[in-house]
Amino acid sequence: MPAIAKEGATPFVPEDLTLPVLREAVQNCRGCDLYQNATQAVFGELETGASLKRPKVAIMMIGEQPGNQEDKEGRPFVGPAGKLLDKCLQEAEIDRRKVYVTNTVKHFKWEPRGRLRIHKKPSMKEVHACRPWLEAELEVVRPALVVCLGAVAAQSLLGSGFKITQSHGKLQHREGFPPIIATIHPSAILRARTSEDRDRDTNVLLDDLRHANTFLAR
Ligand code: URA
Ligand code: SF4
């Protein structure tokens, strides 16, 4: 139905903006086609106190979309990228208990390769369709800082011209949003082809996270 495609998730987002209500409602979203091939929607959460209605959050970390493991477990950043992210947060001395993690798009987009489900980048249309959920999360969680992991999240909030390579780690200000820092996605580090690339990307992520922490400590 074109009407739904145009509005994306909007008709499915409840008026009662609390995390438990949103988390339940997102399972019924039909704002784009991605729900069809996914196991479930994966909503954002705080590692602890996920049931709190309005948790106290320092950073909202926004990834791209759930991966294979997230899709099966129904929780964001529980797979390899999440493990690496946790390690980097620890190294940057950011308290994981004050970090809410979520994704730009809430359903896993994939294509089959043999028996594997291979991640497929969401389209701009799907990012746009899913945005009302992200806006609802921002409204409820009200983080002091947003950290966008990777280009999909960064471009969703900062515009399609935003380049991580040029502007990572720099504080960005956008009307109606908390301050935003964009950085490299941990998945990019996992995909690096050489150890030099991996080390360089890891240092970028760590530096940017430390910068985020310095901002929070002001
Ligand atoms: N990558 C993401 O962007 N999000 C997840 O939840 C897991 C991997
Ligand atoms: Fe709705 Fe987002 Fe899932 Fe599309 S990806 S169906 S907009 S929750």
Side-chain angles (χ1 to χ4, degrees):
M1 277 190 290
I4 286 183
K6 194 165 153 250
E7 291 174 41
T10 302
F12 303 93
V13 179
E15 275 173 30
D16 180 4
L17 290 182
T18 65
L19 290 178
V21 168
L22 289 170
R23 181 168 293 114
E24 208 177 301
V26 74
Q27 298 304 338
N28 299 318
C29 185
R30 305 289 180 260
C32 73
D33 290 337
L34 292 186
Y35 72 92
Q36 290 178 0
N37 293 326
T39 308
Q40 58 194 315
V42 177
F43 205 61
E45 66 175 26
L46 210 55
E47 187 181 44
T48 51
S51 62
L52 296 178
K53 283 191 168 178
R54 289 181 185 274
K56 210 168 159 38
V57 167
I59 302 182
M60 182 188 279
M61 297 236 157
I62 309 177
E64 184 188 298
Q65 59 161 332
N68 185 56
Q69 201 165 327
E70 286 79 13
D71 170 79
K72 287 180 188 156
E73 289 189 33
R75 297 182 56 207
F77 285 102
V78 290
K83 300 240 157 55
L84 178 57
L85 179 63
D86 285 350
K87 230 173 91 188
C88 291
L89 285 170
Q90 203 177 11
E91 199 153 327
E93 296 181 5
I94 293 176
D95 185 352
R96 180 65 181 80
R97 292 168 304 180
K98 292 190 182 143
V99 177
Y100 179 95
V101 286
T102 191
N103 284 297
T104 311
V105 164
K106 311 300 192 222
H107 277 104
F108 179 34
K109 182 176 183 180
W110 58 279
E111 59 189 3
R113 195 172 302 161
R115 284 163 54 210
L116 296 178
R117 302 190 299 169
I118 303 296
H119 155 276
K120 210 169 165 212
K121 190 177 159 183
S123 67
M124 284 302 282
K125 196 172 150 202
E126 288 150 354
V127 166
H128 189 75
C130 211
R131 201 175 145 110
W133 292 113
L134 193 56
E135 284 172 8
E137 282 177 300
L138 281 163
E139 173 80 28
V140 179
V141 175
R142 295 189 176 271
L145 178 70
V146 168
V147 173
C148 292
L149 300 169
V152 170
Q155 293 182 351
S156 167
L157 295 191
L158 298 166
S160 54
F162 186 87
K163 295 218 164 31
I164 300 259
T165 43
Q166 281 170 17
S167 305
H168 70 86
K170 294 187 195 123
L171 217 50
Q172 310 286 332
H173 298 280
R174 293 290 184 280
E175 174 90 40
F177 289 97
I180 302 169
I181 285 180
T183 187
I184 288 195
H185 196 298
S187 297
I189 296 172
L190 296 174
R191 280 197 311 267
R193 268 176 292 182
T194 65
S195 58
E196 287 83 13
D197 285 355
R198 188 163 50 244
D199 289 350
R200 189 201 53 221
D201 289 354
T202 306
N203 285 330
V204 168
L205 177 56
L206 284 174
D207 273 357
D208 292 350
L209 290 178
R210 288 190 190 106
H211 184 202
N213 210 12
T214 309
F215 167 80
L216 291 172
R218 285 177 328 165

